[in-house]
Amino acid sequence: VHGDYYEDHKRKKSDFQENHKPILITEISGHSIETIWKNLRVGDVIEIRKDEFIPADVIVIATSEVKGVCYIETKSLDGETNLKQKIGVDALQNIYQSKYSDLKNVKIEYDKPNSYLYSFKGTATLKNGAKAPINYPNFIPRGSVLRNTEYVIGFVCYTGNNQT
């Protein structure tokens, strides 16, 4: 019983530390503010830096790389040590680069959370009615680590058990 208490205490302390890690949220004005992981909400646009853990499931909007490519490590999720390539949604990257505030006019719909680590489907509907597909290569799961890429701008699509 004493060992269970100790393990629970360690887990709670670890959860607290993780939930209080800093993250930058980009407001619709284009200004960034710092908050902590536990304050993230579905719909937030966040900036993840090289070698940082991904704090929530995100859809890649843009990256530091010209073609919108980034690399993630998923060792803590699936045990694999090879890097996986992800890519920004072209239509969202174009909006982000030309006029960030226009992202508020994009409607993003996607699958509900599920247990399939390698599956993701969604659609971004632009202001003009055009639709852009969102697929697994555009999705980064929480717990991954950003590698070999200076930064990723991502749309928070899942934050945990209390989805909105």
Side-chain angles (χ1 to χ4, degrees):
V1 174
H2 184 66
D4 290 343
Y5 171 79
Y6 178 72
E7 289 302 317
D8 282 349
H9 178 72
K10 274 181 33 179
R11 186 178 70 333
K12 285 180 184 176
K13 184 177 179 182
S14 174
D15 288 349
F16 180 86
Q17 289 171 335
E18 184 166 293
N19 286 326
H20 285 79
K21 288 181 182 176
I23 186 75
L24 286 177
I25 294 180
T26 304
E27 297 179 316
I28 208 64
S29 66
H31 294 99
S32 293
I33 60 167
E34 187 173 290
T35 188
I36 56 176
W37 285 20
K38 80 172 191 171
N39 292 338
L40 288 178
R41 299 290 175 255
V42 170
D44 285 343
V45 175
I46 61 174
E47 182 176 326
I48 304 149
R49 297 272 174 187
K50 182 179 180 179
D51 298 328
E52 286 183 344
F53 277 89
I54 310 301
D57 291 348
V58 298
I59 295 168
V60 180
I61 294 174
T63 76
S64 57
E65 305 303 310
V66 177
K67 303 231 183 227
V69 172
C70 67
Y71 299 91
I72 62 165
E73 176 184 281
T74 58
K75 182 172 43 178
S76 66
L77 302 175
D78 59 13
E80 292 185 22
T81 56
N82 59 315
L83 297 182
K84 293 172 180 66
Q85 180 177 299
K86 297 295 181 170
I87 189 162
V89 178
D90 281 342
L92 299 181
Q93 185 164 329
N94 293 339
I95 292 170
Y96 175 80
Q97 291 174 341
S98 63
K99 190 172 180 198
Y100 176 79
S101 62
D102 282 351
L103 279 175
K104 72 177 185 278
N105 298 316
V106 176
K107 181 178 182 181
I108 299 177
E109 298 175 289
Y110 44 88
D111 294 339
K112 291 186 178 191
N114 60 60
S115 60
Y116 302 108
L117 186 59
Y118 302 108
S119 175
F120 187 88
K121 293 229 179 283
T123 304
T125 305
L126 310 183
K127 185 178 181 179
N128 65 6
K131 294 186 182 289
I134 302 171
N135 295 299
Y136 178 68
N138 310 120
F139 174 76
I140 303 177
R142 181 183 198 269
S144 302
V145 178
L146 184 64
R147 299 287 190 211
N148 299 348
T149 309
E150 290 305 311
Y151 67 84
V152 163
I153 304 299
F155 172 87
V156 175
C157 56
Y158 307 130
T159 58
N161 294 331
N162 301 320
Q163 299 301 312
T164 56

